[in-house]
Amino acid sequence: MHSDRLALSLLAVLTIFARPNAADTACMNSGYCSQGKLTPFVGDLYTSSALREALQARSYKKEVIIMVSDLNRLDSFLPSADSLQHLGLSNILLLSHTEVMCGKISPIVPHVGCAWSSHKHPEDLAGNFYVWSLRYRILARSVRLGYNVLMLDTDVMLMDDPYKYLKQPPFKDIRVLNQAESPVDPNGGVLYVQNAAPDGPAAFMFAEIVSRPYRWADDDWHTAGKKSIHEKCLYADQDGYADVLADMTSGYMLFPKAWHCLDEAVRAEPKWQQVHATMHERIRVREVWKDADYPVPDSWRLLTGGPTTPLRSLHLRMPNCRGWPDELGGQWYPPERGAFSTDFLEQLRADTPHLPLWPDAENASNAAAADRIPTESFAFMPEWLGLGYWLRGRHGYWDPHVTGNIAQQVIAHTHFIDTHANTAMAKRVVPMSLHRYNWDLPQRARGSQPYFACNGLGDHCSDLQVIAFSPELEKLLGSSASWHEFALIIRGLAALGIALDRAVVWPSLPCNTSWVRRGQPVDKPPLQLGGMWLPWSTHTGDLMCTPWPYVNQECLAGGRGLLPWEFEHFHAQHAVFEFEVSTIHALHDKYDEHELIREAHFGLAEHIVEIDTRSELDDLQMLQYQPIIYLDNFVHVIFPDSMAEYKQAYRNACEECTVLNTEAYTAIFDLNGNRGKKNAQPMANLGLPDRPARVRRGKLHTRAAGVVG
């Protein structure tokens, strides 16, 4: 029932995608504008005729973009597809799990459609594992049919037309371009294949990524079990890709990633330790990889950051088992094929009956034939062409205000966030922070729930009210003395939010705050702010730093908090209607001049006022109909015992939200660490107070700050 309501709420959502005129789109330079030139496809891709029909409908000039989604991933897929639409590119072939799932998705994306496949597969190849395998299966089949394929994860933003670069030197003659996961491992979610031979090494490689776990499932993991290989080995496509790429560099059937699927005790045996070492000798990493710099057109230089671009490449060669030598672990596959891999091979043959398959790599007599097949080029995308947020985006390269000209990225892959944040939530937060978030699409995907704070509120999200530091007060955070003081200040905000039953707007600091930047420059990339901070630019170009630990359900859901970009949108939504914005001003005694002594861990003590909520709540209820109120002072809130419910709610928040909990508050964050790890020393040992010594008691007073309309 919920899924049906969701589908109805998203009906024709793509009609709100921007549809720029061809003259205004980035794709004019490449000549691959496909907007408005394609037809949707809905259907089962199992048969060759169906796949041909789908590719004809969803490709342009033999170029197709493969993506996968389901109802849970629509929050990611819709913005990613929107970024393509803004560039004039709509040649997406969307894949999903089943006919039932596509029946729910295709009405939501009527201009794209949705495809599935009814092929045989192991029952436990399900969920993410299934759709990851499916996209490589369709990729391999599409390459056999002569198509060029750009495969993208759903957490990807396109900042420029990739074809503009992929079709020019030094990339146009490279058969497989892949985002790098490490200096020698490919990322499984961003790659491009062009002009690959239907029976060549690249086509084989992608087919083998699909086949490898199928071969073990062919005999119900009996052969794999003899080696102690656990079931589901290489179900993760990226592991399978890294495993098979080793074959393609060495000419042997190698299993360096699958080796890690062996039982730990077996791996420790001298025999298997030697097998592992021998496999890596055959991979010949230092010999096969070539690094070179290539000149780029003048028009690329703002993007690449210079007159050349680095490129790491190798040649893919057709592998063969070569008798399954014992020093490489012996025979890794069952001697006979079973239903799963046979079904796939029959599909590949049926797709192109006039073209032979590659020589069977499991037959040692084909070794010479394999060696005669021409090699094909493989390269890792330069960082500016395709890379993840953690390795590039957080260092400022995706932010034009930091680079001083344009975003130095074409394919921006959020990928993983290696810090104290919820990775799934971070995939939405990164485009928010770059002001590249289309609020209409995710809002449609969640009905009336556009913010993380709405999770758990149900239909009451429309009643959300917030409390925030006034802009003038938030600017003062740049004068804070330490993480300890910042934590104290946001605890006070959280406590007052609980007292008023309002979501708090979590504040950010200027990145040039002394204890945040730690002497590092913040005016150009690469920014070196450690793992605690999400740097982003305001519309006026001020570089702000938001703590990553905010990005967790415990700090946002259930009406607890809004991120700064969510508040920007919230404020804009309410600005449509006239309302009075009130400010809470904390009245307190003035400090004598001799008392304004800067404490070791506090730089803003004179702006912090201690409030007893027992005497304030009645007056504060006057604000209950105003959606936004601002604070003119930082507060330290006291909940008396008579307000046990509020006190407990505050304790719960401090225990659950990483930024507020006891451990984070009573410990020093290792802000120099790449991950922002905590050095959990008790506060007593550090001699840190839990409040400034000279905090004065005060009383809250409200006043009108203006009318927004």
Side-chain angles (χ1 to χ4, degrees):
M1 182 67 72
H2 172 73
S3 297
D4 292 340
R5 289 199 304 269
L6 177 62
L8 288 172
S9 71
L10 278 158
L11 186 61
V13 70
L14 284 192
T15 60
I16 69 172
F17 278 178
R19 297 186 176 279
N21 294 325
D24 299 326
T25 57
C27 60
M28 287 297 293
N29 288 328
S30 69
Y32 285 89
C33 298
S34 54
Q35 189 86 306
K37 301 175 182 178
L38 307 178
T39 58
F41 177 86
V42 177
D44 184 350
L45 299 179
Y46 181 75
T47 66
S48 299
S49 59
L51 179 60
R52 289 175 182 275
E53 181 185 350
L55 290 171
Q56 184 175 359
R58 300 306 307 151
S59 68
Y60 183 70
K61 295 183 178 180
K62 304 291 280 189
E63 300 282 341
V64 66
I65 300 170
I66 291 179
M67 301 181 73
V68 299
S69 187
D70 54 26
L71 289 177
N72 293 328
R73 284 192 183 89
L74 281 175
D75 281 356
S76 295
F77 169 73
L78 293 176
S80 184
D82 188 43
S83 73
L84 286 160
Q85 295 269 349
H86 277 286
L87 296 170
L89 308 175
S90 61
N91 51 322
I92 300 170
L93 176 59
L94 178 61
L95 310 176
S96 197
H97 298 263
T98 63
E99 181 178 2
V100 172
M101 182 65 74
C102 276
K104 296 174 180 178
I105 291 177
S106 55
I108 299 168
V109 287
H111 300 286
V112 177
C114 179
W116 67 95
S117 177
S118 57
H119 62 268
K120 295 183 176 73
H121 64 276
E123 288 186 8
D124 60 351
L125 185 71
N128 286 340
F129 292 145
Y130 174 77
V131 290
W132 292 340
S133 176
L134 173 62
R135 64 181 179 175
Y136 276 91
R137 188 183 190 108
I138 301 304
L139 165 62
R141 295 177 65 195
S142 300
V143 169
R144 286 276 294 169
L145 287 168
Y147 285 83
N148 298 335
V149 181
L150 177 62
M151 194 167 78
L152 299 175
D153 275 347
T154 55
D155 60 338
V156 163
M157 294 177 291
L158 276 292
M159 295 183 171
D160 199 354
D161 174 14
Y163 295 119
K164 184 166 62 177
Y165 307 99
L166 297 172
K167 298 303 182 181
Q168 293 194 54
F171 307 121
K172 70 182 184 68
D173 294 324
I174 294 174
R175 297 295 171 255
V176 181
L177 270 164
N178 219 108
Q179 178 186 321
E181 183 74 7
S182 78
V184 295
D185 288 321
N187 176 271
V190 175
L191 63 90
Y192 180 62
V193 189
Q194 61 181 339
N195 305 322
D199 57 350
F204 169 85
M205 178 172 68
F206 295 120
E208 180 66 12
I209 292 168
V210 179
S211 289
R212 189 149 287 189
Y214 279 8
R215 288 294 286 116
W216 291 318
D218 275 343
D219 71 349
D220 198 24
W221 295 84
H222 178 72
T223 300
K226 288 182 178 179
K227 292 185 183 295
S228 80
I229 296 173
H230 67 72
E231 294 188 19
K232 298 188 179 180
C233 180
L234 304 188
Y235 274 18
D237 60 346
Q238 192 157 292
D239 289 341
Y241 198 165
D243 210 47
V244 176
L245 185 59
D247 301 3
M248 313 309 297
T249 66
S250 67
Y252 285 81
M253 296 288 279
L254 301 180
F255 297 79
K257 283 288 184 181
W259 180 89
H260 291 277
C261 298
L262 299 174
D263 182 81
E264 184 176 359
V266 173
R267 293 201 308 270
E269 294 175 3
K271 169 192 171 182
W272 285 103
Q273 288 289 313
Q274 184 58 48
V275 166
H276 190 244
T278 304
M279 282 194 289
H280 281 275
E281 289 174 4
R282 298 291 171 86
I283 294 171
R284 304 174 299 130
V285 171
R286 293 183 179 178
E287 179 182 342
V288 299
W289 287 101
K290 305 297 182 184
D291 293 292
D293 291 325
Y294 294 87
V296 298
D298 290 345
S299 59
W300 293 17
R301 292 189 179 187
L302 286 179
L303 175 65
T304 62
T308 63
T309 185
L311 198 64
R312 167 164 269 217
S313 63
L314 56 76
H315 291 285
L316 303 173
R317 56 181 297 193
M318 190 67 72
N320 185 269
C321 69
R322 303 184 190 275
W324 300 105
D326 288 339
E327 64 267 25
L328 296 176
Q331 185 158 341
W332 286 75
Y333 286 158
E336 302 294 333
R337 288 188 177 272
F340 302 123
S341 67
T342 298
D343 179 59
F344 184 33
L345 279 180
E346 288 176 351
Q347 262 192 328
L348 292 169
R349 290 191 180 98
D351 288 340
T352 53
H354 58 291
L355 292 174
L357 279 177
W358 40 81
D360 182 2
E362 298 178 33
N363 186 338
S365 66
N366 290 328
D371 291 340
R372 288 193 296 270
I373 292 177
T375 62
E376 292 184 310
S377 53
F378 174 100
F380 283 147
M381 295 178 178
E383 293 185 354
W384 58 267
L385 181 57
L387 200 62
Y389 175 82
W390 200 249
L391 297 177
R392 187 164 174 87
R394 71 183 176 113
H395 296 304
Y397 291 102
W398 297 2
D399 187 340
H401 289 292
V402 178
T403 64
N405 41 67
I406 63 171
Q408 294 179 339
Q409 197 67 51
V410 177
I411 303 173
H413 187 189
T414 303
H415 196 23
F416 70 97
I417 305 297
D418 195 14
T419 189
H420 297 260
N422 179 300
T423 298
M425 296 168 69
K427 291 178 185 293
R428 283 168 51 194
V429 167
V430 168
M432 285 183 197
S433 71
L434 294 165
H435 308 292
R436 289 177 174 268
Y437 194 69
N438 186 331
W439 288 92
D440 291 329
L441 298 177
Q443 188 168 346
R444 294 284 186 94
R446 287 183 301 282
S448 60
Q449 300 193 0
Y451 314 118
F452 293 120
C454 298
N455 294 343
L457 294 183
D459 295 334
H460 297 290
C461 188
S462 59
D463 301 326
L464 190 69
Q465 296 178 313
V466 303
I467 183 169
F469 293 144
S470 68
E472 295 76 17
L473 185 64
E474 187 166 359
K475 288 179 182 178
L476 293 178
L477 291 172
S479 299
S480 57
S482 63
W483 168 266
H484 175 68
E485 180 175 37
F486 181 68
L488 172 71
I489 286 170
I490 59 177
R491 280 168 72 97
L493 177 64
L496 195 56
I498 289 168
L500 298 176
D501 192 24
R502 287 176 176 264
V504 303
V505 178
W506 295 115
S508 302
L509 302 97
C511 290
N512 63 7
T513 302
S514 60
W515 60 272
V516 173
R517 65 183 294 186
R518 306 179 322 277
Q520 297 290 334
V522 292
D523 58 346
K524 60 182 178 180
L527 302 177
Q528 300 292 343
L529 293 164
M532 270 295 299
W533 304 106
L534 189 168
W536 58 281
S537 293
T538 66
H539 293 291
T540 57
D542 296 323
L543 188 66
M544 305 298 290
C545 277
T546 298
W548 269 113
Y550 287 162
V551 185
N552 285 286
Q553 294 287 356
E554 293 81 0
C555 300
L556 302 173
R560 271 192 180 163
L562 290 180
L563 297 168
W565 318 282
E566 293 180 309
F567 178 59
E568 183 180 84
H569 181 264
F570 181 89
H571 190 279
Q573 296 298 106
H574 288 81
V576 176
F577 310 99
E578 284 196 0
F579 68 91
E580 188 178 76
V581 180
S582 283
T583 296
I584 294 180
H585 179 62
L587 302 175
H588 60 97
D589 294 334
K590 297 292 184 183
Y591 284 85
D592 293 332
E593 184 175 350
H594 72 276
E595 290 183 328
L596 295 179
I597 301 171
R598 189 178 182 90
E599 297 182 49
H601 300 284
F602 298 99
L604 299 171
E606 64 267 31
H607 299 282
I608 303 175
V609 182
E610 192 164 76
I611 301 297
D612 187 336
T613 53
R614 175 174 48 193
S615 60
E616 302 292 331
L617 282 185
D618 290 342
D619 292 339
L620 294 176
Q621 295 308 315
M622 297 171 57
L623 302 172
Q624 62 181 313
Y625 298 112
Q626 297 187 30
I628 303 171
I629 58 176
Y630 290 105
L631 275 176
D632 267 354
N633 295 86
F634 304 123
V635 294
H636 182 258
V637 177
I638 298 173
F639 288 112
D641 292 339
S642 60
M643 299 179 65
E645 183 179 348
Y646 292 92
K647 199 171 193 176
Q648 186 59 50
Y650 175 62
R651 286 174 178 167
N652 292 343
C654 289
E655 289 175 0
E656 296 164 3
C657 178
T658 304
V659 175
L660 302 174
N661 68 32
T662 304
E663 180 187 3
Y665 179 55
T666 61
I668 292 181
F669 273 81
D670 175 15
L671 300 176
N672 292 296
N674 191 46
R675 288 170 171 260
K677 291 181 177 178
K678 295 180 293 246
N679 175 18
Q681 302 179 54
M683 181 182 290
N685 294 347
L686 298 166
L688 298 177
D690 65 353
R691 58 192 287 276
R694 292 180 173 81
V695 166
R696 295 298 181 87
R697 297 292 292 273
K699 182 176 178 59
L700 295 177
H701 172 71
T702 64
R703 65 188 179 198
V707 175
V708 177

